[in-house]
Amino acid sequence: MGAAIGGSTAVLLLVVELFLRWPWQWMVPLPATGFVFGVLLAAMSLGDEERAADRRENSRVILLAWACLNGGRCETDPAAFTADGEGWELPASPLFRGSLLAVGHRDGVEVGISCSAHRDPEADSDQPMTILVRLSEERSPARVHHRKLHRLGLGDVASVAVGGRELWVKYGGWPDDFVKLNAQVDAAVRLAASLQEA
């Protein structure tokens, strides 16, 4: 970004020199201002990248702790879950994609957490975090009513859907707190249980 601003300042300086013929005393501040502005933008961009990397690392630690406490594992590739022969079923889901993944068992059911930084066209998903719960039996594709979501503590979800033997609860951000993630998983498991009782 800084290089682009420096280049555009140089082009602007050339245009001013060729067509306007300003005195050189007026033209000296122009490249200096462009240089300072470019350096400031580059510094801000690096700061944003560092903060994003810190958030991703924090989320990785939270997911790793959750997986360890729930008899599961945390990986960056869904193929790693099927290669070990542990019998995980959720990694086969089209929504179990992303740059940070975890599986585990909560209250006797398999739970998967998928965190994605970019839109996944294969899964048609642009939600940063999806909690998947494996259902005990096939269900018709359906959406869940908001009233039921609020009653079960799922008020801050982006969307919820059921299809086949999976429940998907999509959130707008990566995990940033271990206690909050546990509460989100518990609420998703309660919702799955209530759907199976119906």
Side-chain angles (χ1 to χ4, degrees):
M1 182 63 102
I5 289 181
S8 62
T9 303
V11 169
L12 180 61
L13 193 60
L14 181 64
V15 168
V16 167
E17 174 61 28
L18 288 175
F19 296 106
L20 298 179
R21 294 288 187 190
W22 285 354
W24 69 269
Q25 295 91 341
W26 291 12
M27 292 176 41
V28 169
L30 186 63
T33 303
F35 174 77
V36 169
F37 191 61
V39 167
L40 284 174
L41 275 180
M44 287 176 10
S45 175
L46 284 174
D48 288 345
E49 288 175 16
E50 286 179 12
R51 281 189 293 277
D54 288 344
R55 281 193 299 269
R56 283 192 297 272
E57 179 59 21
N58 182 48
S59 295
R60 187 190 71 78
V61 169
I62 289 169
L63 275 189
L64 183 60
W66 180 88
C68 288
L69 290 173
N70 290 282
R73 54 189 297 192
C74 182
E75 300 286 347
T76 56
D77 180 12
F81 296 102
T82 55
D84 62 10
E86 290 182 12
W88 300 108
E89 297 182 59
L90 286 175
S93 169
L95 288 178
F96 195 75
R97 300 287 178 268
S99 48
L100 189 57
L101 309 160
V103 292
H105 288 100
R106 179 62 68 94
D107 295 338
V109 296
E110 184 179 339
V111 176
I113 303 171
S114 165
C115 297
S116 178
H118 306 290
R119 180 172 176 78
D120 183 355
E122 181 183 328
D124 191 30
S125 173
D126 58 356
Q127 300 302 327
M129 184 176 79
T130 303
I131 296 176
L132 298 92
V133 181
R134 186 76 173 157
L135 303 174
S136 60
E137 59 188 31
E138 290 275 332
R139 299 284 299 186
S140 302
R143 297 261 178 212
V144 181
H145 295 290
H146 285 285
R147 210 172 327 129
K148 188 170 208 170
L149 298 179
H150 286 290
R151 193 172 59 242
L152 293 168
L154 285 160
D156 60 342
V157 300
S159 66
V160 177
V162 179
R165 290 191 58 200
E166 295 168 2
L167 165 72
W168 309 293
V169 182
K170 297 180 183 180
Y171 287 90
W174 282 35
D176 56 3
D177 179 77
F178 182 77
V179 174
K180 182 179 177 184
L181 177 64
N182 264 331
Q184 291 168 329
V185 170
D186 286 343
V189 170
R190 284 195 305 272
L191 176 59
S194 74
L195 291 172
Q196 292 175 124
E197 290 168 1

